[in-house]
């Protein structure tokens, strides 16, 4: 299958921007990470964020050479939400297998992956998918001694995507500034260097 979400030109542009400065910590994910624009605005101090709207786990595998070319010490990973929203062609078992491949590839390259389990978001997101996926990647990451950040309960909305009325989210998935501040605070509780 093709992965039209990721533009090689965009990745090359980002990599070129990093050529003149060392990126020790990378926050890598989908649109929720991308729309943050700059995590420092919300209280993160050391991670550079790189995200792509519509990203699914299988396609994220294509970004691994890019991630490794930057040579960060650590990568905080938040991917899987679009898969749980039905945007991929595989189930949580395959998603977790692709995720394990990412973790192993980063680790074998001397880059420490940090796992952030995906949020449940609105009722449009498949709850069973999220539960299975999160459980499988959490178990694997912990078996490898990797750091795992749990989903944030305040970013779980018990209504359909279009019915969300929250100071934290526009639509039950994408975050408002208050949602980003809350999320960064949550990550900081679990990852002091964030």
């Amino acid at each position: 299958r093709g992965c039209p979400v990721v533009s090689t030109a965009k990745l090359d542009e980002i990599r070129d921007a990093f050529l003149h400065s060392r990126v020790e910590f990378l926050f890598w994910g989908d649109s929720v990470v991308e729309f943050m624009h700059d995590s420092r605005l919300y209280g993160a101090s050391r991670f550079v964020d790189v995200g792509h709207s519509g990203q699914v786990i299988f396609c994220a595998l294509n970004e691994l050479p890019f991630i490794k070319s930057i040579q960060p010490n650590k990568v905080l990973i938040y991917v899987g939400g679009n898969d749980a929203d039905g945007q991929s062609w595989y189930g949580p078992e395959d998603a977790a297998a692709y995720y394990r491949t990412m973790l192993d590839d980063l680790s074998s390259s001397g880059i420490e992956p940090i796992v952030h389990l995906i949020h449940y978001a609105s009722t449009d997101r498949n709850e069973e998918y999220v539960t299975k996926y999160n459980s499988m990647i959490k178990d694997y990451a912990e078996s490898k001694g990797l750091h795992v950040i749990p989903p944030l309960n305040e970013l779980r909305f018990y209504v359909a995507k279009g019915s969300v009325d929250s100071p934290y989210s526009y639509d039950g998935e994408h975050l408002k500034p208050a949602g980003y501040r809350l999320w960064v605070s949550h990550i900081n509780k679990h990852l002091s260097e964030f």
Side-chain angles (χ1 to χ4, degrees):
R1 294 207 181 237
C3 293
V5 169
V6 180
S7 159
T8 304
K10 179 179 179 179
L11 294 178
D12 290 341
E13 195 176 294
I14 293 168
R15 183 177 41 246
D16 290 347
F18 292 146
L19 284 177
H20 304 292
S21 63
R22 175 87 169 117
V23 175
E24 292 186 58
F25 307 107
L26 195 65
F27 188 11
W28 177 38
D30 57 20
S31 60
V32 181
V33 174
E34 180 182 27
F35 296 162
M36 184 182 292
H37 301 295
D38 186 342
S39 55
R40 293 174 298 181
L41 297 171
Y42 305 104
S45 59
R46 299 178 67 191
F47 277 73
V48 174
D49 37 282
V50 175
H52 297 101
S53 297
Q55 186 62 283
V56 295
I57 299 163
F58 176 82
C59 296
L61 290 169
N62 294 330
E63 290 186 41
L64 284 173
F66 160 74
I67 299 296
K68 292 188 299 185
S69 74
I70 295 173
Q71 300 177 329
N73 293 334
K74 298 181 181 187
V75 177
L76 173 58
I77 307 167
Y78 184 83
V79 293
N82 291 316
D83 298 271
D85 290 345
Q87 294 179 39
S88 63
W89 55 92
Y90 44 82
E93 295 83 4
D94 287 338
Y98 297 140
Y99 200 102
R100 288 191 298 269
T101 298
M102 287 191 310
L103 296 179
D104 291 343
D105 194 2
L106 290 169
S107 294
S108 69
S109 299
I111 299 169
E112 180 186 336
I114 302 164
V115 174
H116 193 312
L117 303 177
I118 59 171
H119 306 300
Y120 282 89
S122 72
T123 57
D124 293 60
R125 181 163 286 174
N126 184 322
E127 183 176 344
E128 183 180 336
Y129 193 113
V130 173
T131 300
K132 283 182 181 177
Y133 170 76
N134 278 351
S135 176
M136 286 184 281
I137 63 172
K138 178 179 186 255
D139 290 348
Y140 186 75
E142 288 178 345
S143 78
K144 296 291 185 177
L146 300 176
H147 197 94
V148 177
I149 299 173
L152 180 58
N153 289 332
E154 289 85 352
L155 297 181
R156 182 176 190 169
F157 306 99
Y158 294 92
V159 294
K161 196 172 183 179
S163 303
V164 172
D165 181 20
S166 166
Y168 302 128
S169 177
Y170 295 105
D171 59 5
E173 180 180 345
H174 300 98
L175 303 180
K176 295 178 179 179
Y180 279 117
R181 281 190 293 279
L182 180 69
W183 190 23
V184 168
S185 175
H186 171 73
I187 294 170
N188 272 321
K189 289 176 187 169
H190 297 276
L191 187 66
S192 60
E193 68 261 38
F194 189 67

